[in-house]
Each structure stands twice: as structure tokens, then as C-alpha cells.
Amino acid sequence: MTAKAAPSLCRVVALISGNGSNLQALIDRSQSPHSHYHIVLVLSNRPNAYGLQRAQRAGIATAVVDHTQFSTREHFEQSMLHSIERYNADLIVLAGFMRVLTPLFVRQCRGKLLNIHPSCLPTYPGLDTHRQVLMDGQSEHGATVHFVVEQLDAGPCIVQSRIAVRSNDTPQTLHMRVLATEHRIYPFAVQLFARGQFYLSDNQVVCRGTPIPFYGKVFHLDSG
């Protein structure tokens, strides 16, 4: 009897700009014997990003495309795409990548570009979410993994985490507690994608052939 070939792993490229704590969570999950993905490249737009060291320690290829060396965003992104294409990526994850991508880049990578955002989207897109949540007196906060589309933080959601806002919370304590949930749900979502359990079609997440507005589950988490 001929042995079945092992299924090929989903090839993931991670884009980073800084510390790379979400990258580390993705690396750790990828090293599990049950992982369906592996990270083939970590690309940073900042040469001194600590996430590059995390990748190198894990034996992952790294590349730097310094955005300050390009006269236009389009030229910068084309250089990134050249690097990504060399690694035949099945999925591109934004893991603390602090550049807004142009619609052209997003369209070229449509359906295989994920991001994690520190709020329960569609509320609080953009920056400074923790302070806004506190100012508005919200009782819950969290994070969302979503497909990237042309509009900022507007892509369909895949999975969310939610935590209770405490009376003594500050933007920094909320940041740390939400970040801990990000480290759990981002690898979970990437694993689901790698197993072929969902995909993007007509701006909807599709699971087993059925378009649904919100795929997966909401994690009610609290850490520390």
C-alpha cells in the first residue's frame, strides 16, 4: 500500500514594523505538530524592528523594504510584492505593520490578506482605540481578526475576542490585556484559513460554501 503524501502547509508571509509580539504568537503556533501553516518570510518596513530578530531565532527568512527609501507608496509596495512573490505566499498577515496599504496592493492580494485590530470592529476603527473605549464608558473591549479590504479596518470579521472593561483600567492596562487575547485569536484564525475552513468571496466570509457575515466564534477572555 502506498503511503499518503503529507498535506502541504499553508505558506504565510508576515508583515511587521516593530516588536512583533503577535508574530511570536504565530511562530509559536506554527511550530506545533498540529499546525497547518508555516511562516516562510517575515518582512519589515523598518530595519531595526525587533520582530526580525524573533524570526531569525526561529530560522525564518527575513527581508527589509524600508519605506523611507521610496519616493511613493506605490513604489514601496511594489518592492514588497516582489519580495512576497518570491516566497509563493498563500496568506499574508499584518502583524503590527504600521503602514496603510493602498487599494492597489489590497486588490492584488485580495482574499489572502489578514489583519488584527485592537477593537471589536466595526466599532473603533483606526488608532487610539483603548483611550476611545475608556472615554466613551464602554463595558467591553477586544480585538478582531478580519480580511483586509480597500477601506481601513472595514473588511469582514473572522473572529473576535472580548474582555470586560474594569473601573480602574487605563489605556495601557487595556492595551496589555487586549494584546494577550490577540496572541490567542490570531493564530487560531490563521490555522482555520490554512485548513481551508473559510475564504473571502464578494466581501463576505464563506464557510463550506455558505456566505455568512461573521465567521467563527467570539472569545470572551480576560487575562490577569
Side-chain angles (χ1 to χ4, degrees):
M1 180 182 293
T2 304
K4 289 184 179 180
S8 59
L9 296 176
C10 177
R11 298 173 61 83
V12 178
V13 169
L15 305 187
I16 66 167
S17 295
N19 178 54
S21 68
N22 267 313
L23 170 66
Q24 188 64 59
L26 291 165
I27 291 172
D28 293 344
R29 179 63 179 267
S30 75
Q31 294 173 338
S32 161
H34 304 295
S35 175
H36 285 70
Y37 72 90
H38 66 139
I39 301 173
V40 295
L41 175 69
V42 172
L43 187 154
S44 175
N45 66 306
R46 293 177 177 167
N48 60 348
Y50 182 66
L52 293 170
Q53 296 183 43
R54 294 180 187 271
Q56 290 158 5
R57 286 199 300 267
I60 300 169
T62 60
V64 174
V65 180
D66 186 346
H67 66 277
T68 66
Q69 302 303 305
F70 295 85
S71 58
T72 67
R73 291 168 65 195
E74 289 75 15
H75 289 154
F76 161 65
E77 291 180 350
Q78 282 303 310
S79 183
M80 283 203 305
L81 281 171
H82 289 323
S83 295
I84 292 168
E85 287 166 357
R86 286 201 294 269
Y87 286 83
N88 299 314
D90 302 305
L91 178 67
I92 303 164
V93 296
L94 308 184
F97 184 70
M98 301 306 291
R99 302 287 297 175
V100 176
L101 297 168
T102 65
L104 178 60
F105 184 98
V106 172
R107 284 195 294 270
Q108 288 184 266
C109 302
R110 189 172 184 83
K112 62 176 186 178
L113 188 57
L114 299 187
N115 185 39
I116 188 161
H117 179 74
S119 82
C120 297
L121 292 174
T123 60
Y124 302 108
L127 301 175
D128 207 14
T129 62
H130 312 304
R131 183 186 62 82
Q132 292 183 65
V133 163
L134 290 173
M135 287 183 62
D136 290 347
Q138 298 290 344
S139 62
E140 280 192 330
H141 192 24
T144 306
V145 181
H146 63 96
F147 276 107
V148 178
V149 296
E150 287 87 343
Q151 297 76 33
L152 181 66
D153 297 330
C157 300
I158 299 160
V159 65
Q160 282 186 342
S161 63
R162 293 185 185 177
I163 61 170
V165 177
R166 300 172 181 169
S167 60
N168 62 345
D169 265 324
T170 66
Q172 182 60 22
T173 61
L174 269 184
H175 164 73
M176 295 306 296
R177 291 170 55 228
V178 168
L179 186 61
T181 73
E182 292 178 32
H183 295 165
R184 296 172 66 178
I185 66 170
Y186 213 1
F188 173 80
V190 171
Q191 176 79 342
L192 290 179
F193 182 94
R195 290 168 56 183
Q197 292 189 282
F198 68 87
Y199 59 94
L200 181 68
S201 178
D202 295 328
N203 210 38
Q204 295 185 85
V205 176
V206 177
C207 174
R208 298 188 178 94
T210 303
I212 51 179
F214 184 85
Y215 174 76
K217 59 191 294 187
V218 176
F219 290 80
H220 290 272
L221 303 170
D222 214 342
S223 56

